[in-house]
Each structure stands twice: as structure tokens, then as C-alpha cells.
Amino acid sequence: MPKRFKMWPKLIVMPPVWEAWLPILCLVVVSVAAGISAMAFLDHGAWGGSTTANLIVGAGILLLWGNYAVLTCCDFSRSVLIIYLDLFILLVAFVFAFDLKYEVIFENLPALLGLTLRNGFLQGAALTLFVCVASIIAATLLALLAALGKLSRRPTLYAVATFYISFFRGTPLMLQVMLIFLGLPQLGIVLSAVPAGIIALSLCYGAYMAEILRAGIEAVPRGQTEGARSLGLSRPQILWLIVIPQATRLVIPPIGSQFIAMLKDSSLVSILGAWELMYIAKAYGRAEFRNMETLIAAAAIYWVLSAIMEFGQSRLEKTFSQGALMTR
Amino acid sequence: MKTTLFASILLVLSATAASAGAVLDRIESARKLVIATDAAYPPQSFLDKDGVMKGFDVDVGTEIAKRFGVSVEFVTPTWDLVIAGRWGDRWDVSIGSMTPTEQRSTVLDFPSIYYYVAHVLVVHKDNTTINRPEDASGKRIGIGQGESYERYLAGNLVLDAVGAQRITYRIMGAQVQAFEGNAMALDSLKLGDGVRIDAAMTSLPTALAARKAGAPIRVIEPPVYHEPLAVAIDKNDPEFGARLKEIVAAMRADGTLKTLSLKWFGADLTSPVQE
């Protein structure tokens, strides 16, 4: 078998016709992208001259064929790495095509990252992380309670849990944030921006995660519970020692997605005047009428943070799947 | 859209009005005046490189707190939350270049006008068709959500201030595009003439600052309309309102307001403009 067939994983069986068309498809995509970025350059007059544009397109095509040649003799994981790099370069080229002033990004980076305090409190990415971690802990606890409530045979617990899940899944998070910020003071409870935001995020994500946890708990085979009962374990023991550990393994990927979604939804707290990442990006950018620069920097920071969370998730998945074969 | 959403939230929630003198008591006991303003509205209020709030509104607020004999703290809730009223003691006063409209005076009080501003239409520098405000009739005009321009362009801006000028509606049938904040309207204009919007409305100081910062815009003469801008407080606290009115009047009388206006706007905007 020729060496290059190794680049396809066994799961994806590529018909030979497809494989022949793939480089051409790539070529089209990259040419279009290069063309667009070249046009953007010309439009802003940043580079100017059609020779430069031709050079960019030419270099793009050359790079693409070079890439293809390298890919044909690489194994799967190396190919993936190269393609990651290609896509990343395309993304950077896209961003470079904007008319940006890069010093605005670097000047404001410390504030965006939250390396400095504001009035003795966190700001920027540090505040975003703080809000997220607090909400993750509270939402997980809420979700567990709501999931157990929904599985309960007691009408009160079941009703409270389903009502909660329905309301907080059924209304926009932004509205919940405002209801907590504006509504609670009418009852005499005045919360400042950060606690109000944490409560809204926890309530909303707790409701979504409750359904995930319930699905995870229900997916644990009935035989497990029955076996544990016949060994004389009590109901709480069965829940904590048998069901939840097995359910955890199942729910890690969807819960991980929820955490990542929460990281980004935490930007809604900015409407209350909390100086988290999104707020800082907007405020500093607007001071110099340079919005795009700080927003792109914020996008990069959010992305890095969620990449770290993705990595953590894959590590957790490995840890929890260790006993998986034995429990089957 | 968002304003309507807000109005409905407020209808649902039963309102408790601030009791008279409560704010003054709080300022006295906390020894600080909490002021709501925007951190992204240069040159009225913005962040400098060190993350310190600067600008005309910030200086006016700092001076008012000084004359109360207390320290100052700025908070930066989104504009919609400020104009919604019922602040729940989170901040004492809004010094954020607010237009005292009749609609807003149902939830807020406007104890004092502190300066007057001209609102202008700005277009991309490549635009050739819009040369007077009237030319923008029927065009796509960008503004920030909840700004008084929304009402002006809809033809129902009613000012709630003594001596406010009668509003002449010069732009008819505009297709209003409301963005999240005025800055995004200017950003949309920067994309090119007619790419997303044909013109944007903003205050003259903001337009001049944007042009100075390199935004490719042209300011249309004459201004679309003039309006007074007011200090705003939560409803029903005449004692606090009276103190603010007194302080702002003193700042006007001793020339402090004028000095600040010259510092930030390069012009004296503290008295009404005659058209």
C-alpha cells in the first residue's frame, strides 16, 4: 500500500475520487481567502499595488502545493498538526486584512488580561475567570440538586425542580441578569454587579446542566443499582458510590461544553458595569475610537481560556474512563 | 426593542420610590458620592491609558462630590439600566450627558442642566450625496440603543427642561439602525460609505474627537438639533435634587463649568445656543 494512504484514519473511509479532488478543493478555498485578504489590503490602501496582491495569491498557491506534498508523506497526527497550522495562518491573515493599529492591542493587554487591580478588585480576564469559577461551582451544585429533584418520586421536589429548569432554560440569560439586578432591589436585596452576574449565570447554567446530569444518571445501567441493593447498600450509598461516579464519566463532555459556553456568556455581566474582559475591551477600544483592536485581543484571550478548559476536559475524560471497562 | 423590553420588565416589577432625603443621608454616612457614567463615551467620559476615568462628565462629577465634601466613586452600568430608573441605591446620581426627555422624567428627575450640546449627522468621508441634514431623509442612520436620537428620528422627541428649544425635525423617514452604544454606530460608518449605514448621529464633541482620532468621517453642517444635558437622579428626592441644583448653579456662576468645557471641548458649551 502506498505510504500516503496512511493519512486517513480508519474511521473515515475516503473514496479515491474524493481524495483526488481534495487538493483542488483546498486550492479553491485558500485562493478565495487569499483573494479576499488581498482585496481588503488594497481597499484600505495599507499595502497598495496589484503586484503585491498577485504576490500574495502566488505565494498562497505555492504554499498550498508545498503543503499538500508534505501532507502526503505524513501520518495522521502530524497531518492534523500541519492543517491546524494552515488554518491558523489563514485566520491570522484574515485578521491582518483589517486596518488595525497593533500598538493599541499591546498597550491595553495588561488591562485586558487583568494583571492590574481596579479599586482593589479584579478586572479583565481575571474577573471573567473569577465569575466563571464561582458560577461553575454554584451551577454544578444546583444542577445536581435539580437533577435529583427531577428523578425524585416526591411531588414537591419533582415540581420545584421541573419548574426551575423550565423557567431558567426558557428565558434569555440577559433578561435573567436584568431581573436579578433590577428586580431583587424591589424586595430590599441590593446586589452589586458581580454577585448578581454570578447568581444569574449559576441559575441559568444549573438548569441546563441539570438535564445533562439527569441523562447521565439515567444512563447508568439498572443492573448496577440492583446489584448494589442486593449487596445491602443504602440508597444514598448507591447514589454516591455507584451511580454518580459512573454518570460522571458520561457527562464530562457535555458538561465541559457548558463550562466553555459559560466562559463566554459571562460577558453579559458587563451590562451591569462589571469590568470583565468584554467590558474592558469595549471601554479601552472606544477611548481611542479603536474598537476592533481590543475586541480581537479579547477574542484571542477567550479562545486561549477555552482551549485550556478543553484540555482539562480531555484529561478528566481519561481519568474517569479508567474503570470504564470493569463496570461494563 | 430593548427599551420596550425594559419598559415591560419595569411594569411587572412593583416600584418603590426613594424616600425623601434618603440619598443625602446615605452620602453623609458613606462619605462618598456614587456617580453612574459611561466609560466609553469620549470626550465626556473615557478611560486613559492607565485605566483612570477622564473626561468632562468625570470632571464635573468629581467637582460636585468635592462640593458635597465627600469622595467620589464612578460606576459604569449600561445606558439602558441608567435610563430605566429605580436604581435601588446602587448609585446616587447620573452624570452622563443625559437628555432630559419627557419619557425619561416619568422615572427620573432632572434637577439641573449642566451643558448644552449640538447633535450632528456624520457621514463617511467618501460620501457626496449628504450635505445637509435634510439629505439623510430615508437613509440608513446608525445610533446607539436608547439614545434620544431614536426619538428624534421617530419625530417624537419631547424635552422636559425649562428653556429647551423647540425641536425641528429635519430628517424624515430615516431607516434607524440602533446599535449597542454610539461607538458601534461610528464603527459601522468607518467600514465605508453606505457599506452598513449611510450616516450616524452623534454629539458634536464626540464627532470631533472621533475625527481627531483618525476616523474617516465628515461632519454635516448645520447641527441637526441642540439640546440641554442634565444631571439625573432617581424619582422623588427633592432635597437631594435641590442640593445638586445649588451646586451646579454655583459651578456655573464661578466659571468652573466653563473652564471644564473649554478643557474638554475646546469651546464653551455651558449656555444655550441660539439657532
Side-chain angles (χ1 to χ4, degrees), chain A residues 132-309:
Chain A
C132 267
V133 169
S135 307
I136 281 172
I137 294 167
T140 311
L141 290 175
L142 263 175
L144 192 58
L145 288 178
L148 293 177
K150 203 161 177 187
L151 291 167
S152 166
R153 297 261 170 81
R154 290 168 208 251
T156 330
L157 294 181
Y158 178 81
V160 170
T162 38
F163 193 87
Y164 157 70
I165 292 172
S166 175
F167 179 79
F168 283 94
R169 284 206 309 176
T171 51
L173 176 56
M174 188 172 184
L175 196 136
Q176 293 165 13
V177 170
M178 286 178 174
L179 277 178
I180 288 168
F181 194 71
L182 292 176
L184 287 183
Q186 318 278 340
L187 309 174
I189 309 163
V190 183
L191 294 168
S192 57
V194 172
I198 290 174
I199 290 174
L201 274 175
S202 311
L203 285 170
C204 183
Y205 275 86
Y208 281 101
M209 282 159 53
E211 288 291 288
I212 294 172
L213 293 188
R214 182 181 63 87
I217 291 171
E218 283 186 333
V220 174
R222 188 161 283 254
Q224 295 287 321
T225 336
E226 283 165 0
R229 202 175 296 145
S230 67
L231 287 171
L233 269 67
S234 69
R235 285 192 61 152
Q237 274 179 322
I238 295 173
L239 186 68
W240 285 108
L241 300 175
I242 309 293
V243 177
I244 287 188
Q246 295 185 61
T248 308
R249 182 175 62 88
L250 297 170
V251 302
I252 285 172
I255 291 280
S257 301
Q258 292 291 308
F259 287 169
I260 289 171
M262 186 196 272
L263 177 73
K264 289 162 300 156
D265 276 350
S266 69
S267 62
L268 275 176
V269 183
S270 67
I271 62 167
L272 308 180
W275 290 38
E276 45 70 74
L277 182 48
M278 191 68 192
Y279 190 92
I280 297 266
K282 281 197 276 189
Y284 279 79
R286 285 174 186 178
E288 296 169 59
F289 295 90
R290 285 272 169 192
N291 231 344
M292 235 21 233
E293 283 78 353
T294 46
L295 287 180
I296 285 170
I301 296 171
Y302 275 116
W303 197 11
V304 168
L305 288 178
S306 36
I308 294 170
M309 281 172 127

Side-chain angles (χ1 to χ4, degrees), chain B residues 243-256:
Chain B
R243 276 297 299 280
L244 280 168
K245 192 173 177 172
E246 206 177 287
I247 288 174
V248 174
M251 283 169 65
R252 187 184 302 280
D254 65 18
T256 314

Side-chain angles (χ1 to χ4, degrees), chain A residues 75-150:
Chain A
D75 59 5
F76 179 75
S77 54
R78 272 189 209 145
S79 303
V80 167
L81 213 64
I82 291 171
I83 294 168
Y84 272 162
L85 201 70
D86 290 347
L87 291 174
F88 187 73
I89 290 170
L90 274 184
L91 182 66
V92 170
F94 172 65
V95 172
F96 265 76
F98 304 164
D99 172 26
L100 297 182
K101 226 169 121 185
Y102 299 100
E103 49 292 12
V104 176
I105 295 180
F106 294 113
E107 268 167 18
N108 295 318
L109 209 53
L112 285 165
L113 288 170
L115 301 180
T116 50
L117 294 179
R118 179 187 130 77
N119 296 341
F121 199 68
L122 299 173
Q123 65 168 353
L127 181 57
T128 294
L129 268 183
F130 171 76
V131 167
C132 267
V133 169
S135 307
I136 281 172
I137 294 167
T140 311
L141 290 175
L142 263 175
L144 192 58
L145 288 178
L148 293 177
K150 203 161 177 187

Side-chain angles (χ1 to χ4, degrees), chain B residues 211-229:
Chain B
R211 202 174 59 185
K212 204 174 149 197
I217 55 169
R218 181 162 62 87
V219 180
I220 302 294
E221 295 283 344
V224 184
Y225 68 103
H226 292 86
E227 65 179 14
L229 297 173

Side-chain angles (χ1 to χ4, degrees), chain A residues 27-43:
Chain A
L27 179 71
V28 172
V29 171
V30 174
S31 309
V32 168
I36 290 171
S37 36
M39 277 195 297
F41 272 124
L42 293 176
D43 208 31

